[in-house]
């Protein structure tokens, strides 16, 4: 009851959130089959462990570096990822996309495991952004036919942000007494997984850019 | 609450009260009315919602006074652009790229969180509102100019409503994390705009 009273005393924030949430489903339900684009977009970054590992590593590294890298990385990554996505949409080739994605998981995992701190946080954003280009290109070339482009784009940008958020949330274990070691261990695990992905990508041969709008990656 | 925000809250409350009265008297806001059609049109248009949020963030990052003016300028420009669109009737297909371009530019500015002069802030907000309003006006399927105007009034009300949310986030919460959330939202909107440009150019090929 007390909590309710407190929340009623601070109505604007709670009311604003509730009202926004109440309007969002209306918007998402729009355009008939277009909602399928949103679902596809939301699902796509979760469709491969290499994507997931790299995205979570971005969040972990941001949390490890602290502000301003904590917000710089999640701001820089989707922008450069979208640039890569645009290249993919236009059918412009980007060599070694799969290798780049796998290498991103390996390198970002190493950054977290070794607690690498660039001299300026912007360098971390540059490194993360560079890999974002490969992730975005993969997303851009793999739109399932007949989906709504806007909703697909929005979906995969939001899903990527959610994965960063998960990484940041996990990275906050650094505040605990042995959290820093846990965080480094998580980085090592991601680096190990990245190494496996890289081995697999190199074994299957260098993958030049996939033509636009092919089937989704498995 | 800041005085400027309190004034806007009172104005919104009065406007809502007036609308409610009209609803009972003339069914102007009944579910099938052009006004309600405009509201629904906006709430079903993701790109319009995104630009309203981006413009709201960009204006609110400059402080409460800018936020309030920004909401008013955005809605007014949207309305003016919509009237222009109604009058023109059609635009080249490539005009859709302008909507994606505004998402990209205003989203980037919101993510950048850099201070600009009042003229620049209002000009950016006005251009964003004008472009999306123009596209709304052209695409409007209202029976007659008068119905179109009421649809645009509905859209304008929804624009003001949605673009006020970033002000709530940035001015009322006043926590550092709220600013970070706003910047991340800006980057997501810019990224979506960039991808929309990709889609537009791909469709044109």
């Amino acid at each position: 009851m007390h909590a309710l009273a407190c929340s009623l005393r601070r109505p604007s924030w709670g009311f604003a959130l509730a009202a926004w949430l109440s309007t969002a489903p209306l918007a998402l339900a729009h355009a008939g089959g277009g909602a399928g684009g949103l679902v596809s977009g939301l699902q796509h970054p979760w469709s491969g462990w290499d994507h997931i590992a790299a995205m979570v590593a971005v969040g972990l590294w941001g949390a490890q570096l602290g502000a301003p890298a904590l917000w710089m990385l999640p701001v820089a990554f989707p922008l450069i990822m979208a640039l890569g996505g645009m290249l993919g949409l236009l059918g412009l080739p980007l060599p070694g996309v799969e290798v780049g994605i796998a290498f991103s998981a390996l390198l970002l995992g190493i950054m977290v495991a070794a607690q690498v701190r660039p001299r300026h946080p912007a360098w971390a954003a540059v490194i993360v952004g560079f890999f974002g280009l490969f992730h975005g290109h993969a997303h851009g070339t793999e739109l399932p036919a007949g989906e709504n482009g806007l909703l697909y784009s929005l979906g995969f940008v939001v899903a990527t942000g959610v994965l960063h958020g998960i990484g940041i949330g996990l990275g906050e274990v650094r505040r605990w007494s042995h959290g820093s070691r846990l965080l480094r261990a998580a980085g090592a695990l991601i680096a190990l997984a990245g190494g496996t992905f890289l081995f697999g990508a190199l074994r299957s041969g260098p993958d030049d850019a996939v033509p636009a709008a092919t089937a989704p990656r498995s | 609450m800041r005085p400027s925000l309190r004034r806007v809250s009172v104005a919104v409350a009065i406007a809502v009260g007036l609308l409610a009265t009209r609803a009972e008297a003339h069914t102007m806001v009944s579910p099938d009315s052009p006004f309600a059609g405009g509201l629904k049109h906006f709430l079903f248009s993701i790109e319009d919602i995104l630009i309203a949020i981006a413009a709201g963030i960009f204006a609110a990052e400059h402080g409460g006074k800018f936020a309030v003016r920004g909401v008013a300028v955005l809605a007014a420009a949207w309305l003016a652009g919509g009237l222009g669109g109604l009058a023109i009737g059609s635009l080249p297909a490539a005009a859709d790229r302008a909507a994606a371009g505004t998402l990209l530019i205003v989203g980037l500015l919101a993510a950048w969180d850099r201070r600009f002069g009042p003229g620049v802030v209002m000009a950016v907000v006005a251009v964003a509102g004008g472009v999306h309003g123009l596209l709304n006006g052209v695409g409007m399927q209202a029976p007659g100019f008068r119905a179109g105007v009421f649809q645009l009034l509905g859209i304008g009300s929804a624009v003001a409503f949605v673009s006020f949310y970033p002000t709530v986030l940035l001015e009322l919460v006043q926590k550092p994390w709220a600013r970070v959330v706003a910047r991340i939202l800006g980057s997501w909107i810019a990224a979506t705009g960039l991808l929309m440009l990709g889609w537009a150019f791909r469709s044109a090929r």
Side-chain angles (χ1 to χ4, degrees):
Chain A
M1 195 63 193
H2 174 70
L4 178 66
C6 285
S7 67
L8 287 175
R9 256 180 256 133
R10 291 174 287 157
S12 40
W13 174 227
F15 176 75
L17 186 66
W20 169 245
L21 288 174
S22 69
T23 57
L26 273 175
L28 302 184
H30 182 46
L38 182 77
V39 174
S40 296
L42 284 170
Q43 284 175 342
H44 198 262
W46 301 83
S47 64
W49 284 106
D50 46 357
H51 274 305
I52 296 173
M55 297 302 98
V56 172
V58 169
L60 289 177
W61 198 27
Q64 193 176 51
L65 295 174
L70 181 66
W71 56 260
M72 257 187 179
L73 303 191
V75 165
F77 190 91
L79 290 172
I80 310 295
M81 182 185 73
L83 190 64
M86 191 180 176
L87 296 179
L89 282 168
L90 295 176
L92 297 172
L94 184 68
V97 171
E98 291 300 325
V99 173
I101 291 170
F103 189 63
S104 70
L106 172 65
L107 191 77
L108 292 169
I110 290 173
M111 294 293 186
V112 176
Q115 269 190 315
V116 176
R117 288 186 175 273
R119 201 170 282 179
H120 194 281
W123 281 111
V126 169
I127 293 168
V128 159
F130 172 73
F131 289 120
L133 210 57
F134 293 97
H135 287 267
H137 195 278
H139 293 318
T141 52
E142 293 161 7
L143 171 81
E147 300 286 23
N148 180 307
L150 172 62
L151 291 172
Y152 178 80
S153 307
L154 187 65
F156 88 68
V157 167
V158 170
T160 300
V162 168
L163 283 168
H164 290 161
I166 289 171
I168 290 170
L170 291 173
E172 286 305 304
V173 296
R174 73 194 165 94
R175 295 176 189 275
W176 298 352
S177 53
H178 296 292
S180 174
R181 283 182 196 168
L182 264 175
L183 186 52
R184 294 181 69 174
L189 200 66
I190 289 176
L192 191 68
T196 315
F197 301 144
L198 186 60
F199 180 71
L202 289 172
R203 230 178 111 186
S204 61
D207 62 337
D208 285 336
V210 190
T214 58
R217 280 164 10 112
S218 56
Chain B
M1 194 183 276
R2 292 184 176 189
S4 55
L5 288 178
R6 194 177 298 133
R7 277 200 297 275
V8 169
S9 301
V10 170
V12 168
I14 291 170
V16 168
L18 288 174
L19 284 173
T21 310
R22 286 186 69 91
E24 286 168 14
H26 304 292
T27 64
M28 194 44 78
V29 290
S30 69
D32 302 324
S33 69
F35 184 88
L39 280 173
K40 278 187 253 178
H41 177 89
F42 178 81
L43 291 174
F44 286 145
S45 306
I46 296 270
E47 65 268 38
D48 289 347
I49 294 174
L50 291 180
I51 195 67
I53 293 172
I57 291 173
F58 176 60
E61 281 171 345
H62 291 78
K65 201 194 290 181
F66 283 84
V68 171
R69 281 186 201 163
V71 169
V73 168
L74 182 70
W78 205 297
L79 201 59
L83 288 171
L86 271 179
I88 293 170
S90 71
L91 281 172
D96 278 351
R97 289 175 201 170
T102 55
L103 279 180
L104 171 62
I105 291 166
V106 184
L108 274 178
L109 289 170
W112 194 10
D113 193 10
R114 189 168 175 250
R115 298 261 163 174
F116 293 94
V120 175
V121 176
M122 293 309 139
V124 167
V125 168
V127 168
V131 165
H132 283 256
L134 187 70
L135 291 170
N136 278 176
V138 167
M140 207 139 273
Q141 291 171 336
F145 190 81
R146 189 171 176 274
V149 171
F150 275 105
Q151 271 198 5
L152 284 171
L153 283 172
I155 291 174
S157 306
V159 167
F161 178 71
V162 169
S163 59
F164 192 64
Y165 275 91
T167 309
V168 172
L169 179 70
L170 290 172
E171 284 302 307
L172 299 187
V173 178
Q174 294 246 340
K175 299 273 186 200
W177 63 258
R179 213 162 183 93
V180 171
V181 167
R183 295 184 72 169
I184 290 175
L185 277 176
S187 74
W188 288 4
I189 292 169
T192 306
L194 193 55
L195 288 164
M196 283 313 299
L197 274 179
W199 290 111
F201 284 118
R202 183 174 136 177
S203 309
R205 289 171 114 194

